[in-house]
Amino acid sequence: MTADLLVANCIVRQQRRIVERGGVSVHVKPKSMSVFECLVAAGGKPVTRNELFDKVWPGGEITDDTLTKCIVELRKAFGDSARESRVIETIPKLGFRLVPPVEPLEPGQSSAENQQPFRRKWRRPRAAAVVFFIVALVFGTSLAVPGSRLWLTEAGTTWAMKTVAMISPYGAEIKPGIAVLPFVNMSGDPENEYFSDGMSAEVLNSLARTARLPVIARSSAFQFKGQPQDIKEIGRLLGVTHVLEGSVRKDGNSIRMTVHLIDSATGALVWSGAYQRELSDVFSLQQEIAENIVANIDAIFAETIAPPPAGLPAAMQTTLRHPSNLEAYELYLKGMQMLTSDRPALVAQASSYFDRAIALDGNYADAWAAKGMALLALGSGDSCSPIIPASIYPDAIAALRSALEIEPGHALATGWLGMALMVNDFNWAEGMRLLEESLAQNPNDANLLAVYGFYMSIMQLEGAGEVLERAYRLDPFSSETIMDLALQLEREGRLLDALTLAETALIQDREGYAVNYFAARLNLQLGRLDVAEERLQKARLVANPVDLNLDALQ
């Protein structure tokens, strides 16, 4: 049954897996909609859990928890609750039943609540849904009317997507978390920019490994580099309660760091520290700063943040094996600054920095792991590198294994080795196991969360959407995490929603190869040939002369 249905005061559009209530459209997952369809087919009679297992997950080994999550999602979409069941009733020790009568929706008919003035439903957490609805309406009209003047212009699309970003649920809903802004380079030498960036990234990584609370990823936190810093606005856009800012002055072998932990809601200073150290003490300095921040965060959120992993003292969670050669460390920082780019030339240069660091310190696990990551990036189909993955992935795997030989359990090496084994060796089970092991050590790694969610989606595993949304929560301005979420929507057949997210990613990276390629592909599927051609040509500006991905789209 795929007809639109009227259930209580809600409209259910089964084919699109949407529940409309009070002017707001809520998408539900495929399995949740299948559970709803089973309840509808029963005509108000109870449906046992076993019947739902057999019909929705035939032949699968499913726990009660999986079914419960589907019921919870449906109740949330209908505005229902287990305590006062107006739509889905729990029958103790049996199953569930649909309470209200179900009627086919006549053309032009809408629920009573949907006819009420929209302003009654306007609340800040729902604002993004409203704007997405408006954008989708404009896109839909332009698609439905050939030659229509309603095509969104480049400026119009940018305005709409920036509006969505400004009032997104993550921007409006502040949760306990911290963002580490790029430290200001006070050395007077622009060449030392890599060092101030590296120090802020290292402190960020130390905080992320504590797993005490969400830590916004570097790619999103660094969006504010070089801009006038309104801490309250930054906290709102990133959806965090605290922001860490600081400065670094490097003078020969001496470094001075000043850091400030700020409450993003009030702008009040929570804690500050000033440090003067020799360069040889840089690692203990990073550790000290991270521990001071964790101690202050613990005092503020003592009852709301997660405890440290069992059996690990808090002080040990940020302790890693550091290089014995400071020159190797500086080369590593320079490489990491370039590794964030999707331009193959810069990634190749980053790899050369890691090679030089390894030449100075062959036991530098971080450098080996970073080299493996750089080689994986150069062989990725999402980059415009001409390198064939099969020719470079074995070297990447070898580099990652070297990091693990030096430092068993190295979180980055473990996770990226998992991804490499799936892509190169099709070893899905081992790859997913390694990703899970890595994320258990650092659940704040947005990149690996996105990779894990991406492969969960490909394997059609339950919970992929939640994992991708968590990655997006940790890295809301990253084109990579946005695109992974958009790919999930594309696989669900929600092309317009996927295109909306792709355009959002383009705001962050207008000239990026991957985002322009993906946007071109989606526009092509939606019949927007002129826009697809424009995106394709932008991708070609940074692509190699021979690019099979772009040639296939052309």
Side-chain angles (χ1 to χ4, degrees), residues 6-24:
L6 186 61
V7 182
N9 59 357
C10 301
I11 296 173
V12 181
R13 304 196 186 278
Q14 296 181 91
Q15 191 169 17
R16 294 164 57 195
R17 299 193 300 278
I18 291 175
V19 177
E20 295 178 359
R21 176 174 59 87
V24 176

Side-chain angles (χ1 to χ4, degrees), residues 88 101 125 216 275 284 304 404 448:
I88 299 175
I216 298 299
Y275 305 86
S284 61
T304 58
L404 289 170
L448 285 176

Side-chain angles (χ1 to χ4, degrees), residues 477-541:
F477 291 156
S478 164
S479 58
E480 286 80 6
T481 54
I482 293 173
M483 285 194 298
D484 282 332
L485 197 54
L487 282 166
Q488 165 78 1
L489 296 175
E490 182 189 26
R491 277 188 286 274
E492 293 178 3
R494 293 162 56 185
L495 297 181
L496 201 57
D497 292 338
L499 178 59
T500 303
L501 274 178
E503 293 291 342
T504 306
L506 279 166
I507 294 172
Q508 312 303 330
D509 189 9
R510 278 283 169 196
E511 310 305 321
Y513 172 86
V515 290
N516 276 292
Y517 164 74
F518 184 58
R521 194 176 80 189
L522 285 171
N523 278 296
L524 183 62
Q525 293 180 73
L526 287 167
R528 303 180 73 218
L529 303 184
D530 290 344
V531 183
E533 176 66 22
E534 180 183 348
R535 299 286 182 256
L536 191 147
Q537 292 307 320
K538 281 193 174 182
R540 285 202 183 277
L541 291 176

Side-chain angles (χ1 to χ4, degrees), residues 187 189 192 194-195 249-256 276-280 326 330:
S187 303
D189 183 358
N192 282 331
Y194 78 92
F195 190 82
R249 182 184 300 276
K250 181 173 179 286
D251 184 13
N253 288 324
S254 175
I255 56 173
R256 177 177 174 80
Q276 180 89 35
R277 296 284 195 280
E278 292 297 311
L279 191 57
S280 57
L326 288 176
E330 294 198 53

